[in-house]
Amino acid sequence: MERIPILRMGEFLLVTIQVDMHDQLAMTLQDDLSERISATSARGVLIDISALDMVDSFIGRMISTISGIARIMDAETVVVGMQPAVAITLVELGLTLPGVSTALDVERGMNLLRSRMGQA
């Protein structure tokens, strides 16, 4: 079964999506990430989607759902690297991704997570 790697960086988890997301892979990521948050007591999740050229409404909702699950488990979520076409598509689909913070790149995303954890 195909899986997206989840790397631990201190009290944060880094998810770098390097492949086109299909529905089953998104569901697997949701399950894997919630397990890793629980197992590591992660305080933040950074999801790098810079390799994604497009998203559909299902993937957009999955990002929002993953953020909601993380928040309930006491972890902040930041999505980084969103391509302009992806942002346009999400807006055109009417997906606002409530509860999902964004940053332009991994460095800014990590800084945002650190500031929210009081580590700035």
Side-chain angles (χ1 to χ4, degrees):
M1 176 186 285
E2 187 178 22
R3 287 192 137 69
I4 294 175
I6 301 170
L7 305 173
R8 184 172 184 186
M9 297 180 65
E11 60 183 343
F12 304 138
L13 298 176
L14 173 62
V15 179
T16 302
I17 301 172
Q18 299 285 326
V19 297
D20 286 331
M21 293 282 285
H22 53 79
D23 295 359
Q24 185 56 48
L25 185 57
M27 298 292 288
T28 301
L29 175 60
Q30 176 183 303
D31 294 342
D32 290 350
L33 193 52
S34 59
E35 295 275 336
R36 286 295 300 274
I37 291 169
S38 177
T40 64
S41 299
R43 299 289 318 277
V45 176
L46 188 116
I47 303 173
D48 181 1
I49 63 169
S50 58
L52 292 183
D53 293 327
M54 60 182 226
V55 295
D56 60 15
S57 61
F58 179 78
I59 301 305
R61 283 192 309 273
M62 286 306 298
I63 290 171
S64 185
T65 300
I66 286 169
S67 176
I69 291 168
R71 193 168 44 257
I72 289 171
M73 298 179 78
D74 195 30
E76 295 282 334
T77 301
V78 176
V79 174
V80 301
M82 188 176 303
Q83 300 293 328
V86 170
I88 290 166
T89 300
L90 291 174
V91 170
E92 287 175 347
L93 291 171
L95 299 174
T96 58
L97 303 180
V100 178
S101 297
T102 59
L104 289 177
D105 56 37
V106 172
E107 183 178 355
R108 289 180 181 186
M110 283 295 193
N111 287 338
L112 181 57
L113 284 173
R114 284 187 196 104
S115 71
R116 294 209 174 145
M117 300 298 114
Q119 300 174 4

